[in-house]
Amino acid sequence: MSFRKRLLAGLTLAIGLGALVSAAQAQDVPSLKGKRIGITVAGTEHYWDLKAYQGQIDEVKRLGGIPVALDAGRNDSRQIAQIQTLIAQKPDVIVEQLGSAPVLAPWLKKIRAAGIPLFTVDTISPYSINDTTSDNYSIGEKLALQLASDIKGRGNILVFNGFYSVPVCAIRYDELKLVLRAFPDIHIIQPELRDVIPNTVQNAYSQVTDLLQKYPNKGDIAAVWSAWDVPQVGATQAIIAAHRTEVRTYGVDGSPDVVKMVADPNSPAAAVAAQQPYLIGKTAIDNVARYLAGDHDLPPYTFVPAILVNKENAAEAAKELGQS
Amino acid sequence: MSSNLIAEQAPAFLDSSADLEDRETRRARHRSQIIRLGSIAALVAVFAYFGVAAPGFANLGNLANIVEQSTVLALLAFSMSIVVLGGGGDVIRGGIDLSLGANLGLCAAAFTVASNAGFSDPVAVAITLAVGAAVGLVNAFAVVALGVLPLLATLAVMNICGGAELVLTQNTVISANSPLLSYITGASWLGLSMTDWILVGAAILLIALVHGTRWGLRLQAVGGQRQAARAAGLRVSAYLTGTYVAAGLLAALAAIVQAARLSGSSPGSGDILLSVVLTSLMSVVFSRRLLPSIGGTLLSVLFIGGLINGFQLLNVSSYWVNGVQGVLILFVVAVRSLSLRRGSV
């Protein structure tokens, strides 16, 4: 545990330094002229996905490369077919963003077996040369600590855990469980909830509405946690509709509508860990450009800083995130 | 009675009407021939264009990829075509199986769960086929025994399958790994993967069965003229039941291929239904009498697969593919409606 803490502290420092360094080096990114960069993403209907996708495409174009950009529309079969065709196209690099790890693993392996360098965005994979992502360990930990402290270390919480197969969601969930070990009076209501795609908001709304009826008394439920912020939107709306605004909601990503909800002093949305998806996409491509220019000494992870937005810092954070 | 009377009294009139019918039939056949040749020409033209303009399109490896990517859709579209052949082509009252996509998801989940529960591949395959066939039987019971419109019966069964899949998987990705799954994705023969061979084998078998055997011809009779088929002594309900069960079995086979490609079961299989309906509808423009056929279905599946692949190779946004599919479906339905309005084919 303490070793992990030290590691995290070290990483945080490294990220801080990395951010400074990358800011200084922004103009030094090598050109991608004549290079074809395959970009395959699981879907783009969510703010985070779309921004990270656009960040990649824009940066490839800015650096003079040709993006072969493929959006699978949240359909695993389609993404696999797109990756299969992409391998046959032999681009200079393939960048993969999100999706289910077990589904993707054999196909990411095939990318490497075909001799094509693989980079990932927000996807941990042994086949990836570099994964550009937020530090999800720190995100999960900070969000869980904020929750625990807001509810004074006591109460029952609802947890949406539908996407444990997506590695970043698994990390955030595991960090929540780790933090909760120190708070024996916080209990996760069983069974856990499953968030779904599509109709995430409506589905979360109806699930939370049902559970608010099942636990009708003030104090029965202290908070709702989800690994991203779209279920958080549905949960927050359901809580408002049921006049149970003592229940707080927590999520990850920081879509502008959720940051606004957190900024509203009357909203049950208590905190959201806001990432910088556009910058993540852009940074991933900068790493690709460095690699293709001969820098084969890239770190396995590049962390882009995230901000925990809560009731106190929401207005300021929105500015920092470029959302206001 | 009255027609007999007319037949006795006015043989001359009947003769001329038969002549008229002949001419009409000939004209209709002519029209469908033009549509068929036109469609095949369009397919050849599109593929030739991709061959020249899209880098790597005509490579053997890429063509094998197209076949591989089309296998799951093709197996389901074959199912749909068989059901339409047996139930008749009327979109509202005729044969249709809307549960195919959901059945695919349920069977993939069944295989994955059975495999993870420690069952060997042959047992897991048997369980999966049994689930697929059972779904087909439920469809058949609703359509044949209860007399529910296939459109509504299979819509209801679609929901049942979707719910059962959620119960099995809790709407999460479940990964599976078995020698059979690795074999389907990994092994290859004569440059084609096992997935390719499954499609080739299924297509040959079904073309022979549906278009070359007595069962197949009688099935088409049941779909074309149900009353006449019944009058001729065919057991119409047995044929109809057969089509839904065959569709269920093919969905189970497709599910095993999908489980191999996705390393298990993944939510969202039902999304494929629209493509299944589209390709089955499209198949009529590739066949001689504007009726669905296995060969026509195969061509339309490869057409769609080639289109998606070619667009990607040309670096045209994948968003365009949806639009083009919509235009195609409109075109096909329009051609069919026009030809139906101008007289039966």
Side-chain angles (χ1 to χ4, degrees), chain B residues 10 132 327:
Chain B
V327 171

Side-chain angles (χ1 to χ4, degrees), chain A residues 114-179:
Chain A
I116 302 168
L118 171 70
F119 285 69
T120 48
V121 170
D122 226 21
T123 305
I124 299 159
S125 163
Y127 309 109
S128 168
I129 293 167
N130 168 278
D131 178 28
T132 304
T133 178
S134 296
D135 176 0
N136 286 288
Y137 298 95
S138 146
I139 281 181
E141 188 182 25
K142 280 182 187 158
L143 189 71
L145 283 169
Q146 175 87 47
L147 183 154
S149 111
D150 285 351
I151 66 173
K152 314 264 183 306
R154 170 179 303 276
N156 300 318
I157 62 172
L158 289 174
V159 168
F160 280 97
N161 186 25
F163 292 99
Y164 197 80
S165 65
V166 178
V168 288
C169 295
I171 295 170
R172 294 166 198 162
Y173 174 84
D174 290 344
E175 286 295 326
L176 171 73
K177 296 277 270 195
L178 197 65
V179 167

Side-chain angles (χ1 to χ4, degrees), chain A residues 1-46:
Chain A
M1 180 70 184
S2 68
F3 169 73
R4 213 181 58 85
K5 288 274 181 203
R6 257 181 290 148
L7 186 72
L8 272 178
L11 277 176
T12 316
L13 185 67
I15 299 158
L17 287 175
L20 286 176
V21 172
S22 73
Q25 281 181 344
Q27 276 123 18
D28 301 343
V29 182
S31 159
L32 281 174
K33 202 163 174 48
K35 304 285 186 196
R36 289 190 315 140
I37 311 298
I39 299 168
T40 158
V41 302
T44 54
E45 74 284 9
H46 178 38

Side-chain angles (χ1 to χ4, degrees), chain B residues 271-289:
Chain B
D271 291 355
I272 202 171
L273 180 67
L274 268 184
S275 299
V276 173
V277 175
L278 164 72
T279 41
S280 179
L281 271 175
M282 252 182 85
S283 78
V284 300
V285 297
F286 288 115
S287 58
R288 219 167 270 146
R289 294 187 304 127

Side-chain angles (χ1 to χ4, degrees), chain B residues 5-44:
Chain B
L5 209 69
I6 294 169
E8 280 162 23
Q9 289 176 354
F13 170 77
L14 255 193
D15 276 356
S16 78
S17 109
D19 248 15
L20 213 81
E21 213 172 80
D22 259 7
R23 223 177 303 146
E24 195 51 43
T25 314
R26 237 178 292 135
R27 209 176 297 156
R29 200 167 291 161
H30 210 68
R31 225 175 12 238
S32 72
Q33 193 75 351
I34 292 171
I35 293 172
R36 184 168 77 106
L37 293 177
S39 304
I40 292 175
L43 185 143
V44 171

